[in-house]
Amino acid sequence: MNEILSLQNISYTYTPEELEKRKAVDNISFTVNDGEWIAIVGHNGSGKSTLAKLMNGLIFPESGEVRILGESLNEENLWAIRSQMGMVFQNPDNQFVGATVQDDVAFALENNGVPFEDMIKRVHESLAQVKMDEFLDREPHHLSGGQKQRVAIAGALALKPKILILDEATSMLDPQGRHEVLSTVRRLREETHLTVLSITHDLEEALLADRILVMNEGRKYTEGTPTEVFARGDELVQLGLDLPFTMKMSQLLRAQGVEVKGNHMSEEELVNDLWTSNFNK
Ligand code: ADP
Ligand code: MG
């Protein structure tokens, strides 16, 4: 597996006062492989957004190294590297800059000096990728939250990035919008060779990832596959994290004396297990 991004002993502090308590990001090392989907979870203030900002050079670490696409991120290569990374943030209303959907997607391309004909083509292509190509001339306030975030993803994709970072991009959406955005990202992963880093509170979203990085108070608490991470169920609850629905469900069933096995990662697993449990007897 090829490394696409790595953090080596990264630390960051915003203010001197903060330093007396703890660092925003404290000695984090983490490697992301090309094509992986990584979820970053952790309670509020655990350093997730700071990590994202360090990854695309919005801020520089006070110590340690950020390596992206084989290069150590610095002031000189910052713009070249940043053009390989798309970012989508939490609030769908704060990231619209254009008067229409197509203007919005064109904006970043224009800023990056993409020629006009190429720009038109890329706007259409990237809106088609998120299935928003029928909304070219719509104004943002006529769109749902999920549609707005899909346009934001199209804006990021138009620059043909290798890495897409979603910082709580689904957290303000209703279940329908969240589903739209997640199935879009999932499909993009299948159709293109995109590396995805999704920072999320939604553990159903984290279950979709290849690996999960759990942050706690600026430090890496653990990393592993969803199965490995969620096997630590109660520890995660103590860190202020929720558990996926099916895991809570099986815990409640066990508390009621129903013999279901352990940590189900999907409703299907839980349902299959219930067929063979004493629930039916
Ligand atoms: P998360 O995204 O996990 O909620 P953040 O990375 O935003 O966490 O914050 C990590 C820590 O850094 C918190 O203690 C937060 O208060 C602090 N912090 C974040 N942004 C700033 C800022 N712009 N100025 C000062 N402190 C900040
Ligand atoms: Mg954050």
Side-chain angles (χ1 to χ4, degrees):
M1 279 194 281
N2 291 329
E3 168 192 309
I4 191 162
L5 184 152
S6 80
L7 307 174
Q8 313 273 345
N9 306 101
I10 292 291
S11 293
Y12 188 83
T13 318
Y14 288 95
T15 58
E17 300 82 62
E18 194 185 26
L19 200 52
E20 288 164 24
K21 292 175 279 169
R22 65 170 177 88
K23 298 181 175 191
V25 160
D26 190 356
N27 198 27
I28 298 286
S29 298
F30 188 70
T31 300
V32 180
N33 295 312
D34 195 9
E36 264 191 312
W37 180 335
I38 302 290
I40 304 177
V41 304
H43 60 77
N44 276 334
S46 60
K48 305 181 299 295
S49 293
T50 306
L51 269 189
K53 287 187 263 180
L54 287 161
M55 284 175 189
N56 82 344
L58 286 171
I59 52 178
F60 284 93
E62 63 197 30
S63 59
E65 187 190 20
V66 179
R67 224 173 34 228
I68 301 171
L69 297 157
E71 284 190 62
S72 179
L73 185 67
N74 57 43
E75 313 262 352
E76 277 89 63
N77 61 20
L78 173 64
W79 292 98
I81 288 182
R82 202 184 277 167
S83 70
Q84 304 286 326
M85 306 175 85
M87 272 195 95
V88 178
F89 298 95
Q90 183 169 32
N91 190 334
D93 293 314
N94 288 352
Q95 37 199 339
F96 248 100
V97 285
T100 64
V101 165
Q102 62 179 341
D103 285 356
D104 193 73
V105 177
F107 184 77
L109 295 174
E110 220 165 5
N111 277 351
N112 278 267
V114 174
F116 189 73
E117 281 80 48
D118 195 20
M119 188 164 89
I120 304 279
K121 191 166 150 266
R122 286 217 220 167
V123 167
H124 284 87
E125 275 172 8
S126 53
L127 283 168
Q129 281 186 298
V130 300
K131 301 210 190 305
M132 285 296 288
D133 44 338
E134 283 169 25
F135 294 80
L136 285 172
D137 293 313
R138 282 305 173 84
E139 293 163 22
H141 62 269
H142 289 306
L143 305 179
S144 70
Q147 289 171 332
K148 285 178 191 166
Q149 288 300 62
R150 278 151 63 202
V151 174
I153 292 174
L157 291 177
L159 290 163
K160 300 188 193 288
K162 296 219 162 49
I163 304 170
L164 181 65
I165 301 180
L166 307 162
D167 189 354
E168 312 242 7
T170 62
S171 66
M172 292 179 78
L173 304 179
D174 59 19
Q176 163 70 19
R178 196 171 296 162
H179 176 77
E180 278 174 29
V181 169
L182 288 181
S183 57
T184 300
V185 174
R186 217 169 171 169
R187 192 168 40 72
L188 287 169
R189 284 279 321 289
E190 284 157 19
E191 292 169 4
T192 63
H193 193 78
L194 194 63
T195 302
V196 176
L197 282 140
S198 66
I199 295 172
T200 183
H201 272 292
D202 180 13
L203 296 184
E204 317 293 336
E205 183 174 332
L207 282 177
L208 295 170
D210 299 312
R211 278 191 302 136
I212 301 176
L213 167 63
V214 182
M215 293 290 293
N216 185 47
E217 307 207 317
R219 300 211 175 95
K220 174 162 88 177
Y221 183 78
T222 187
E223 67 173 277
T225 63
T227 313
E228 285 162 0
V229 167
F230 288 119
R232 309 174 73 139
D234 291 337
E235 279 176 59
L236 302 182
V237 175
Q238 301 218 317
L239 297 187
L241 293 171
D242 201 5
L243 292 178
F245 167 75
T246 47
M247 283 186 67
K248 283 192 284 194
M249 190 73 191
S250 42
Q251 281 183 351
L252 288 170
L253 284 165
R254 275 200 302 278
Q256 294 294 318
V258 179
E259 290 164 12
V260 283
K261 290 189 208 91
N263 304 320
H264 301 93
M265 293 295 141
S266 68
E267 282 177 37
E268 197 187 351
E269 277 178 46
L270 175 59
V271 168
N272 285 338
D273 199 6
L274 276 172
W275 280 117
T276 55
S277 74
N278 61 347
F279 186 60
N280 288 310
K281 291 169 192 138

